[in-house]
Amino acid sequence: GAGVSQSPSNKVTEKGKDVELRCDPISGHTALYWYRQSLGQGLEFLIYFQGNSAPDKSGLPSDRFSAERTGGSVSTLTIQRTQQEDSAVYLCASSVKDRVHNEQFFGPGTRLTVL
Amino acid sequence: SQQGEEDPQALSIQEGENATMNCSYKTSINNLQWYRQNSGRGLVHLILIRSNEREKHSGRLRVTLDTSKKSSSLLITASRAADTASYFCAPPQGGSEKLVFGKGTKLTVNP
């Protein structure tokens, strides 16, 4: 089937505005991950979902960041009152039911620019 | 926390040459994955090596794992310009599903 999709592919917003980033995982994948990658940097883990629950939110950088997942499928990452330092590529990945050897399948990312 | 750290940070070679990238990590793992990223977008899984494996091959890729040294290497043989990308190793953190990525090795293969 289709791979992981993310929307929008690019988002430009003004400082202080809220943004919503969407991730559609591969059908049947119960695990979903959000990462952030700043220019020239590695991937920074944000949050992990297993089904609709988030057992690991440890990477969310502040309370302006939140995420939810409904129906064990689509996930939305919301950033409130965006700041310039939030500018980055936000990547979503999914994998099959958690197991020891989990290969993660990544979406193309959303490039967020906060002016 | 657990982290994969790649070395070198950047590597430039000529087409046809081999490219070797190294990864070090800090704690015991049960597997380690390598990913590739083109143009700062989504990552693509390349290969997974289990802790009881010392070497694994996939096409032109060869991965080694030395758990005693907590290190892994990725070798790309007979490189092509299309291999130009950033390469990341990803050891899992503890026994979790959470992968921890380093900054990657940026490989440039010149035609």
Side-chain angles (χ1 to χ4, degrees), chain A residues 22-100:
Chain A
R22 176 186 168 109
C23 172
D24 280 271
I26 292 173
S27 178
H29 282 195
T30 58
L32 186 147
Y33 312 79
W34 281 99
Y35 297 89
R36 177 170 75 172
Q37 186 177 33
S38 301
L39 188 63
Q41 300 297 308
L43 273 70
E44 176 187 8
F45 169 82
L46 297 179
I47 188 170
Y48 153 64
F49 285 93
Q50 179 59 39
N52 291 336
S53 63
D56 191 345
K57 306 179 182 179
S58 62
L60 293 178
S62 76
D63 59 8
R64 296 186 296 104
F65 287 73
S66 63
E68 65 175 11
R69 189 179 184 196
T70 56
S73 182
V74 172
S75 177
T76 302
L77 177 68
T78 301
I79 309 174
Q80 296 178 309
R81 304 180 302 281
T82 52
Q83 303 295 312
Q84 289 183 334
E85 60 263 29
D86 300 334
S87 295
V89 175
Y90 289 80
L91 293 161
C92 173
S94 69
S95 66
V96 297
K97 181 179 180 180
D98 60 318
R99 53 190 174 96
V100 174

Side-chain angles (χ1 to χ4, degrees), chain B residues 37-108:
Chain B
Q37 183 180 38
N38 288 82
S39 305
R41 303 299 275 197
L43 280 71
V44 175
H45 179 266
L46 293 177
I47 196 167
L48 180 151
I49 186 166
R50 297 182 175 87
S51 59
N52 62 353
E53 297 175 311
R54 290 296 170 261
E55 186 171 310
K56 194 167 183 178
H57 295 253
S58 177
R60 293 183 296 110
L61 305 180
R62 180 171 76 96
V63 170
T64 64
L65 180 64
D66 187 336
T67 53
S68 66
K69 295 181 179 178
K70 293 187 170 56
S71 67
S72 175
S73 67
L74 171 67
L75 169 68
I76 303 174
T77 60
S79 63
R80 305 167 181 167
D83 295 328
T84 295
S86 290
Y87 293 82
F88 296 85
C89 70
Q93 180 165 320
S96 73
E97 301 74 30
K98 177 176 166 180
L99 301 179
V100 187
F101 294 83
K103 295 184 179 181
T105 291
K106 185 173 182 180
L107 173 67
T108 302

